[in-house]
Amino acid sequence: MTENQALERPLPLMPAAGHLTLSTGDTPVTAGPGCIDELKQIVGEAHVVDAPADVERRARVTIPRRKMPRAFVYPGSTAEVQQIVALANRHQILLWPCSTGRNWGYGAATPQVEGSLVVVLERIDRVLEVNEELAYAVIEPGVTYEQFNAYLKQHHPRLWIDCTDGPPNGSVLGNALERGIGETPNGDHFGCICGMEVVLPTGERIQTGGGAIDGLRTWNTHKWGTGPYLEGIFTQSNLGIVTKAGIWLMPEPEAYCSYIFEVYDAGRFPELVDTFRRLALQGVLQTKLHLINDVVLFTVLTQLKNENLGGQSFLTQTDIARLRDKYQVAPWAGGSGIYGTKDQVRYQKKVLRQELARFGRIEFMDRRKYHLVTALLPIVKRLRNNPTAKKLIDKTLRLTLKASVEMLEAAPRTYDILQGIPTEYFVSHAYFRSKMDKPFSKIDPAVDGCGLTWFAPILPLTVGDLVPFLDHCRQRFEAFGFNFYVAMLMMNARSIIALQAILFDRDKPDELERAEALYADLVSYLQGHGLQQYRTGVQCWDMLFDEAPEFLALNNKLKAALDPNNILSPGKCRIGAPQ
Amino acid sequence: MTENQALERPLPLMPAAGHLTLSTGDTPVTAGPGCIDELKQIVGEAHVVDAPADVERRARVTIPRRKMPRAFVYPGSTAEVQQIVALANRHQILLWPCSTGRNWGYGAATPQVEGSLVVVLERIDRVLEVNEELAYAVIEPGVTYEQFNAYLKQHHPRLWIDCTDGPPNGSVLGNALERGIGETPNGDHFGCICGMEVVLPTGERIQTGGGAIDGLRTWNTHKWGTGPYLEGIFTQSNLGIVTKAGIWLMPEPEAYCSYIFEVYDAGRFPELVDTFRRLALQGVLQTKLHLINDVVLFTVLTQLKNENLGGQSFLTQTDIARLRDKYQVAPWAGGSGIYGTKDQVRYQKKVLRQELARFGRIEFMDRRKYHLVTALLPIVKRLRNNPTAKKLIDKTLRLTLKASVEMLEAAPRTYDILQGIPTEYFVSHAYFRSKMDKPFSKIDPAVDGCGLTWFAPILPLTVGDLVPFLDHCRQRFEAFGFNFYVAMLMMNARSIIALQAILFDRDKPDELERAEALYADLVSYLQGHGLQQYRTGVQCWDMLFDEAPEFLALNNKLKAALDPNNILSPGKCRIGAPQ
């Protein structure tokens, strides 16, 4: 099954009535054939995709609904982006720029307004500069994690990137502009952006920082520049198209190891939260530590269709207990990396062992162990083809390591990611409910019709905030017939993201509806409780800022000033949407 | 001499012709008597100062020139600020808000446009909230370092602020909004701001972060909020009046010590720069380490008038050698703090001793040594009143500690500042050229007529960037007849500030002119060499962004959108100044 059957039926559209039409008229403006010809003249015929079937395929999403774009255009340079923006202003066409459009679970490349022209920046993909002495690079929006890591490994192996456990072919800048989070001490991706080049909605090219374009020596070393600090307004927004930016990198540390820990008793979660906060405020923990529940691990390690559950789509407590045992999964598991001089790493290991082992266990992985595991795993897997050997191996692993082969496989992937080497391994979780087998490479859950919506609330890092909230979410997930999937990502010493995936089978209309209803239910709870998502997707922009009308009004004022024709992603984060 | 004689003569005004008049007309608009009455109704008669002599005194600056305001007004609440903004819009009066106006060397409370109404926020000075668990506070703009530290010491001794070595009665938020730099790992003051309340130039009160006003639980824990990150546009700008903000604090560490190091051979400066960058990129050095040259120390330890130099205002190489010997000052000296668990502090001491002692020496100060030195110093100083004892003591100190009494006095002040306890001790450097004795407390170099202009360039932290630049600046200082004063402040692992003070005697017209000419000379060098100041004062806004017209145009667009009547600090950072 290479094509997704569900998606051969058109997806339902978002209700457009009244809500997201343009202020310039009641019907959304779309590009006529003349415009498409002009576009082809700008970027070349090969770089405009307007055949409906192709457009449909490229516009696929993992979230329940989408809007169909008019066409996809792939400019090859900043100058071409400027020409496209000029064209859009001339003809009042709506543009929907995205870097690579692999923002699965938040909307991928789907625009907020039907008929928009999606401007994909993936061809603008050069690593323009690497400064080893000062550990930064200047890159274009089409640069992917995979490409960036490979480029550095080849030319500047002493510099490491920070990647996510998401798609390796996702855009580094795209993620940073959505203020995504990674893994290492450089995991606040927007926090590590320093210096942007932006094409404004009126077509001018500007550079942040307050210095001469292409001539400011601190452009990529001093984040705030001189004068107002403007970079923030180009994140989670629609005020410009970032065509270049500086990004801080990690110099290869003298020593590095990753670690995984397990929490055997879910009841000790509050104690764990207090430990995290204390260690982070002390500066011991500076990475974006991840803590995931059992359901997250199941989605990575297996697929529902392989677990003999009949048609059942919900794991009961009994099922969960069985899967925990089968894969040797704890109620909570976490992990991160340690970077520094040999002494620093030794000291941190000592502290983390003291602090985390008491919840269950902690295992460190260094280069030696990594090579051992990756060398042994293929052998073990081959031996396991024999059913008797399989039983014996699994039993041995369980007794000696308290682990499953599947869990052993995950550890080296974690070791890789924590040093900036991206992998598709964890992205495969999106196929947990899929009827197709998890693909081995070139994963595209949107094209493959997986159902996935991210709900990404952020909370103060306290027991008082987290415990009742997670209880509530778990209860809502279960009330809507979904298993509770939560990955806690430490944003900083004071805040943590409780990232939740709603995984659904989009072939089942009732499930698709329940997924949507659960999402709406969770979002409305946030608004009633003084909470917010650290990052949002197209699925919730109609509801955004209901509680912050002054904030929305201010953003709309900025939008009107910078984008008088409202051609750039109107409605993104609700900004520029008709009131 | 309690009053400054130089300032009894009116200071020369900045040339206003054509350059900084308002776009609304050719003559600056100023508040008529009716407006002043209205103002008095808003804030109470006692809180409006419009008598010319009082206004003159409050408007004093340490920089060469100033503009005279029409009056000073001291609102007592955010609601009053909003009423003042409304009044300004009604009557087209220019407002010049400042927190406490102790921004000496950058312009203090002097407005950019003659006749503006200076709105001082010092009465809005509550600590609104302190969260010990999450280590943050919410404060108003009138809160000073002194007051903030005292408040925490009394109510929440387990939280430390980050202060500067500038005025203790300076505003914590004022400094952060100008993106000032402190000392500890929380020394990027704007970087530690999280959540702002802002009165817009049209009078609305907004809150950043994208949540409900006064109801967003992550407002002070998650810096970026949801939707566009807007806080940056309210720094070094004139787009709003910040009336409240969250600020991250340091939980009292398990262990703390400060250190001072000396570099005996100025020729090893390049090696030192490489060491700093390496240690910072490794994450060993996370504070805003300071490195100062001998001239800085002289201005702190003594005054020119006490050094028997006759009328001479410039220290020759011979004078410098003599003073270095007298006060036991090295060509370069530096210092910072270490914070963490006992193990962390022990490890860092070891690393820093290894890395820095080889340049000369490094001395650590912990609580025990601090108490010892502060207990002994008064005794030693008393004994030194006897000339014979003085000689003996000085010789002993020199032989045993390679130190002077004056240098010993500086060490505990450094220890204090590095744990957030502000002191006026270092501010007294502004009196180096003054004919009055350094005051012991309530220092106000502006009122006292000291001459001081800050020049605050920021550079990439590399030898290639720093060495030729410092050589150039030293040469220019000396060409204009000033001793080269430079304090290097580590902004981050990739950038360093080369903060330079032009200290001049404002009673001497030629010196005042030379001070101005030197400043202009230095600024124009920056623009020709792709450099910038991390922070600027009123003395250079007419020249700002000469090389970045697109950046200025964008800021002016934002300004016009948010402040249609251009009433809020027009011309600040050149934004909203007539083109």
Side-chain angles (χ1 to χ4, degrees):
Chain A
M1 177 163 163
T2 55
E3 283 287 347
N4 174 262
Q5 287 161 354
L7 277 163
E8 285 167 11
R9 298 195 307 271
L11 283 169
L13 299 177
M14 285 193 185
H19 223 82
L20 278 165
T21 48
L22 274 180
S23 48
T24 46
D26 273 329
T27 38
V29 185
T30 194
C35 289
I36 297 288
D37 286 346
E38 272 190 70
L39 269 178
K40 287 179 178 169
Q41 276 163 29
I42 295 171
V43 299
E45 187 140 2
H47 303 304
V48 177
V49 172
D50 64 339
D54 291 337
V55 169
E56 186 285 320
R57 189 182 155 93
R58 284 167 205 240
R60 288 185 190 171
V61 291
T62 67
I63 59 173
R65 292 161 189 265
R66 64 170 166 181
K67 291 276 174 65
M68 199 59 71
R70 167 69 179 89
F72 283 76
V73 56
Y74 299 80
S77 69
T78 301
E80 289 182 9
V81 170
Q82 288 179 284
Q83 290 174 57
I84 293 170
V85 168
L87 177 89
N89 276 290
R90 264 199 317 277
H91 296 289
Q92 293 276 319
I93 300 166
L94 302 193
L95 301 181
W96 186 265
C98 65
S99 298
T100 59
R102 301 207 174 77
N103 201 6
W104 300 314
Y106 292 108
T110 195
Q112 170 75 331
V113 181
E114 184 84 8
S116 298
L117 187 66
V118 179
V119 184
V120 186
L121 305 173
E122 66 183 34
R123 290 179 58 224
I124 307 177
D125 67 347
R126 289 172 300 171
V127 176
L128 295 167
E129 184 193 342
V130 177
N131 188 318
E132 273 203 41
E133 194 175 21
L134 293 163
Y136 72 79
V138 180
I139 60 173
E140 293 182 327
V143 172
T144 67
Y145 289 109
E146 197 165 38
Q147 170 196 355
F148 197 17
N149 172 61
Y151 182 91
L152 292 182
K153 287 281 170 290
Q154 190 181 346
H155 302 288
H156 304 275
R158 295 204 156 275
L159 293 177
W160 290 7
I161 69 166
D162 181 289
C163 67
T164 73
D165 50 15
N169 55 358
S171 159
V172 176
L173 290 191
N175 185 277
L177 295 175
E178 291 299 311
R179 302 203 301 259
I181 181 174
E183 311 279 338
T184 73
N186 285 350
D188 177 356
H189 287 167
F190 169 55
C192 287
I193 289 294
C194 186
M196 286 180 185
E197 177 190 85
V198 185
V199 171
L200 297 179
T202 38
E204 303 94 323
R205 181 168 73 107
I206 65 111
Q207 194 173 287
T208 59
I213 286 190
D214 296 328
L216 177 61
R217 278 151 70 186
T218 44
W219 186 47
N220 307 121
T221 70
H222 175 46
K223 195 169 163 69
W224 314 129
T226 203
Y229 170 68
L230 300 184
E231 291 177 11
I233 68 172
F234 299 111
T235 63
Q236 295 194 4
S237 82
N238 49 14
L239 297 178
I241 303 175
V242 176
T243 47
K244 193 196 277 188
I247 184 163
W248 289 346
L249 301 169
M250 189 199 287
E252 183 186 35
E254 185 183 302
Y256 158 67
C257 75
S258 65
Y259 59 93
I260 289 175
F261 62 93
E262 289 180 320
V263 181
Y264 294 154
D265 174 3
R268 293 181 71 189
F269 180 80
E271 199 185 329
L272 190 68
V273 169
D274 285 335
T275 305
F276 287 163
R277 188 185 56 253
R278 179 167 46 78
L279 292 176
L281 283 172
Q282 277 175 355
V284 172
L285 211 52
Q286 300 193 347
T287 59
K288 308 300 171 196
L289 179 137
H290 289 24
L291 176 72
I292 57 181
N293 75 350
D294 45 11
V295 172
V296 178
L297 268 172
F298 299 155
T299 67
V300 172
L301 303 178
T302 183
Q303 288 183 274
L304 205 63
K305 72 184 178 71
N306 299 339
E307 296 299 341
N308 307 315
L309 289 155
Q312 183 188 324
S313 68
F314 181 81
L315 299 170
T316 62
Q317 277 310 311
T318 318
D319 301 326
I320 287 180
R322 188 168 54 81
L323 291 180
R324 274 189 192 167
D325 182 66
K326 177 175 176 187
Y327 295 107
Q328 291 289 291
V329 162
W332 291 100
S336 192
I338 311 178
Y339 313 85
T341 60
K342 280 177 194 156
D343 275 352
Q344 280 174 312
V345 170
R346 198 176 308 121
Y347 165 72
Q348 276 226 28
K349 276 171 84 164
K350 194 183 100 184
V351 175
L352 289 173
R353 186 172 282 122
Q354 268 169 14
E355 297 282 359
L356 298 180
R358 61 195 161 98
F359 294 100
R361 65 161 168 179
I362 182 164
E363 298 287 344
F364 297 92
M365 178 169 270
D366 56 15
R367 189 167 310 196
R368 212 166 33 182
K369 211 188 263 183
Y370 174 83
H371 286 304
L372 186 72
V373 173
T374 46
L376 286 180
L377 263 174
I379 304 170
V380 172
K381 282 167 81 178
R382 213 172 319 127
L383 290 174
R384 271 173 104 235
N385 288 335
N386 175 314
T388 322
K390 183 175 183 297
K391 264 190 194 158
L392 201 67
I393 289 167
D394 290 357
K395 199 166 180 184
T396 312
L397 281 176
R398 183 173 306 210
L399 289 176
T400 55
L401 300 178
K402 267 194 119 219
S404 61
V405 171
E406 291 80 1
M407 281 295 280
L408 281 186
E409 230 174 333
R413 298 290 73 80
T414 303
Y415 181 84
D416 282 340
I417 282 185
L418 283 158
Q419 56 178 310
I421 303 169
T423 165
E424 293 188 304
Y425 176 79
F426 294 101
V427 189
S428 73
H429 81 120
Y431 293 77
F432 182 62
R433 301 291 315 279
S434 180
K435 279 175 288 297
M436 67 182 271
D437 284 342
K438 288 189 178 191
F440 284 112
S441 68
K442 308 229 170 181
I443 287 189
D444 191 328
V447 165
D448 289 337
C450 299
L452 162 65
T453 301
W454 286 122
F455 171 62
I458 186 162
L459 291 105
L461 186 42
T462 71
V463 172
D465 285 285
L466 280 176
V467 170
F469 178 73
L470 292 181
D471 283 348
H472 169 82
C473 292
R474 175 186 299 276
Q475 188 264 317
R476 300 316 292 157
F477 264 72
E478 291 174 358
F480 282 84
F482 294 99
N483 284 111
F484 184 51
Y485 170 121
V486 65
M488 313 289 297
L489 319 178
M490 189 118 90
M491 184 70 204
N492 59 40
R494 296 165 179 85
S495 309
I496 196 162
I497 296 160
L499 185 65
Q500 297 163 42
I502 307 173
L503 290 164
F504 57 95
D505 182 343
R506 62 185 329 131
D507 284 344
K508 296 186 180 152
D510 90 292
E511 210 170 297
L512 195 143
E513 251 170 56
R514 276 191 285 118
E516 255 194 313
L518 169 58
Y519 184 80
D521 183 274
L522 293 166
V523 169
S524 78
Y525 180 84
L526 290 190
Q527 296 191 338
H529 291 79
L531 293 171
Q532 65 182 183
Q533 295 187 73
Y534 90 105
R535 175 183 184 183
T536 52
V538 63
Q539 64 268 35
C540 82
W541 290 333
D542 288 358
M543 302 177 255
L544 209 62
F545 306 132
D546 268 350
E547 290 194 318
E550 314 79 6
F551 182 77
L552 180 59
L554 172 56
N555 278 298
N556 278 331
K557 222 183 241 189
L558 298 177
K559 177 69 173 166
L562 298 195
D563 187 7
N565 293 324
N566 206 18
I567 54 109
L568 197 66
S569 308
K572 175 160 187 186
C573 285
R574 202 170 174 173
I575 300 161
Q579 301 309 300
Chain B
M1 176 165 164
T2 55
E3 283 285 349
N4 174 260
Q5 287 158 354
L7 278 163
E8 284 168 11
R9 299 194 305 273
L11 282 169
L13 299 175
M14 284 194 185
H19 222 84
L20 278 164
T21 49
L22 273 180
S23 50
T24 46
D26 274 329
T27 39
V29 185
T30 195
C35 288
I36 298 288
D37 287 346
E38 273 189 68
L39 269 178
K40 288 178 178 169
Q41 276 164 29
I42 294 171
V43 298
E45 187 138 3
H47 303 304
V48 176
V49 172
D50 63 340
D54 291 338
V55 169
E56 186 285 320
R57 189 182 157 91
R58 284 168 205 240
R60 289 186 191 171
V61 291
T62 67
I63 58 173
R65 293 161 187 267
R66 64 170 168 182
K67 291 278 175 65
M68 197 61 70
R70 168 70 180 88
F72 283 76
V73 57
Y74 299 81
S77 67
T78 301
E80 288 182 10
V81 170
Q82 289 179 283
Q83 290 175 58
I84 293 170
V85 169
L87 177 87
N89 275 291
R90 265 199 316 278
H91 296 289
Q92 291 278 320
I93 299 167
L94 301 193
L95 301 182
W96 187 265
C98 64
S99 299
T100 59
R102 302 209 172 77
N103 201 5
W104 300 315
Y106 293 108
T110 195
Q112 170 74 333
V113 181
E114 185 83 9
S116 298
L117 188 67
V118 179
V119 184
V120 186
L121 305 174
E122 66 184 35
R123 289 178 59 224
I124 307 178
D125 68 346
R126 290 171 300 171
V127 176
L128 295 167
E129 182 192 344
V130 176
N131 187 318
E132 275 204 41
E133 192 176 22
L134 293 164
Y136 72 79
V138 180
I139 60 174
E140 291 181 330
V143 172
T144 67
Y145 289 109
E146 198 165 37
Q147 170 196 353
F148 197 17
N149 172 62
Y151 182 90
L152 291 182
K153 287 281 171 290
Q154 191 182 345
H155 302 287
H156 303 276
R158 297 204 155 274
L159 292 178
W160 290 6
I161 69 164
D162 180 289
C163 67
T164 74
D165 49 15
N169 56 358
S171 159
V172 177
L173 289 191
N175 185 277
L177 296 176
E178 291 300 311
R179 301 204 300 259
I181 180 173
E183 310 279 338
T184 73
N186 285 350
D188 177 355
H189 288 167
F190 169 55
C192 288
I193 290 293
C194 186
M196 287 181 182
E197 179 190 83
V198 185
V199 172
L200 296 180
T202 37
E204 304 93 323
R205 181 168 73 106
I206 66 109
Q207 193 174 288
T208 59
I213 286 190
D214 297 327
L216 177 61
R217 280 151 70 185
T218 44
W219 187 47
N220 307 120
T221 70
H222 174 46
K223 195 168 164 66
W224 314 129
T226 204
Y229 171 68
L230 298 184
E231 290 175 14
I233 70 173
F234 300 111
T235 64
Q236 294 192 4
S237 82
N238 50 13
L239 298 179
I241 303 175
V242 176
T243 46
K244 191 197 278 190
I247 184 164
W248 290 346
L249 302 169
M250 189 198 288
E252 183 185 36
E254 185 184 301
Y256 158 66
C257 76
S258 65
Y259 60 92
I260 289 176
F261 61 94
E262 288 180 320
V263 181
Y264 294 154
D265 174 3
R268 293 181 71 189
F269 180 80
E271 200 185 330
L272 190 67
V273 169
D274 286 335
T275 305
F276 287 164
R277 189 186 54 252
R278 180 167 45 78
L279 291 176
L281 283 173
Q282 276 175 354
V284 172
L285 210 54
Q286 300 194 346
T287 59
K288 307 301 171 195
L289 179 135
H290 288 24
L291 176 73
I292 57 181
N293 75 351
D294 45 10
V295 173
V296 178
L297 267 171
F298 300 155
T299 67
V300 172
L301 302 178
T302 183
Q303 287 184 274
L304 205 63
K305 72 182 179 71
N306 298 339
E307 296 299 340
N308 307 314
L309 290 156
Q312 183 190 325
S313 68
F314 180 83
L315 300 171
T316 62
Q317 276 311 309
T318 319
D319 301 327
I320 286 180
R322 188 168 53 82
L323 291 180
R324 273 190 193 167
D325 182 66
K326 178 175 177 186
Y327 295 108
Q328 291 289 289
V329 161
W332 291 99
S336 192
I338 312 180
Y339 313 84
T341 60
K342 280 178 193 155
D343 275 350
Q344 281 174 312
V345 170
R346 198 177 308 123
Y347 165 72
Q348 277 226 27
K349 276 172 84 162
K350 195 183 99 182
V351 175
L352 290 172
R353 185 172 282 123
Q354 268 169 13
E355 297 282 358
L356 298 180
R358 62 194 161 99
F359 294 99
R361 65 161 168 179
I362 184 165
E363 297 286 346
F364 297 93
M365 177 168 269
D366 57 15
R367 187 167 312 195
R368 212 166 32 181
K369 212 189 262 183
Y370 173 84
H371 286 304
L372 186 69
V373 173
T374 49
L376 286 179
L377 263 174
I379 304 170
V380 172
K381 282 167 82 177
R382 214 173 315 128
L383 290 173
R384 269 174 105 234
N385 288 337
N386 174 314
T388 323
K390 183 175 184 300
K391 265 192 196 156
L392 202 67
I393 288 168
D394 289 357
K395 200 165 177 184
T396 313
L397 281 177
R398 182 172 308 206
L399 291 174
T400 55
L401 299 179
K402 269 194 118 219
S404 62
V405 171
E406 291 81 0
M407 281 294 282
L408 281 185
E409 231 175 331
R413 298 289 75 76
T414 303
Y415 182 84
D416 282 341
I417 282 185
L418 283 159
Q419 56 180 307
I421 302 169
T423 165
E424 293 188 307
Y425 177 79
F426 295 100
V427 190
S428 73
H429 81 120
Y431 292 77
F432 182 63
R433 301 290 316 278
S434 180
K435 279 175 288 296
M436 67 181 272
D437 284 342
K438 287 188 179 192
F440 284 112
S441 66
K442 306 226 170 181
I443 287 190
D444 192 329
V447 165
D448 290 337
C450 298
L452 163 64
T453 301
W454 286 121
F455 171 62
I458 186 161
L459 291 105
L461 185 42
T462 72
V463 172
D465 285 285
L466 281 176
V467 171
F469 179 73
L470 293 181
D471 283 348
H472 169 82
C473 292
R474 175 186 300 275
Q475 187 265 319
R476 300 316 292 158
F477 264 72
E478 292 176 358
F480 282 85
F482 294 99
N483 284 111
F484 184 51
Y485 170 122
V486 65
M488 313 289 298
L489 320 177
M490 188 117 93
M491 184 69 204
N492 59 39
R494 295 167 180 84
S495 309
I496 196 161
I497 296 161
L499 185 66
Q500 298 163 43
I502 306 173
L503 290 165
F504 57 94
D505 182 344
R506 63 185 329 130
D507 283 345
K508 298 186 180 152
D510 89 293
E511 209 171 299
L512 196 143
E513 253 171 54
R514 277 191 284 120
E516 255 193 314
L518 169 58
Y519 184 79
D521 184 275
L522 292 167
V523 168
S524 78
Y525 179 85
L526 290 190
Q527 296 191 338
H529 291 78
L531 293 171
Q532 66 182 182
Q533 294 187 74
Y534 91 104
R535 174 180 183 184
T536 52
V538 65
Q539 64 268 35
C540 83
W541 289 332
D542 287 0
M543 300 177 259
L544 207 63
F545 306 132
D546 268 350
E547 292 195 317
E550 315 78 6
F551 182 77
L552 180 59
L554 171 56
N555 278 297
N556 279 330
K557 220 182 240 190
L558 298 177
K559 178 70 172 164
L562 297 195
D563 186 7
N565 294 324
N566 206 19
I567 54 112
L568 196 65
S569 307
K572 175 159 185 186
C573 287
R574 203 172 176 172
I575 300 161
Q579 299 310 299

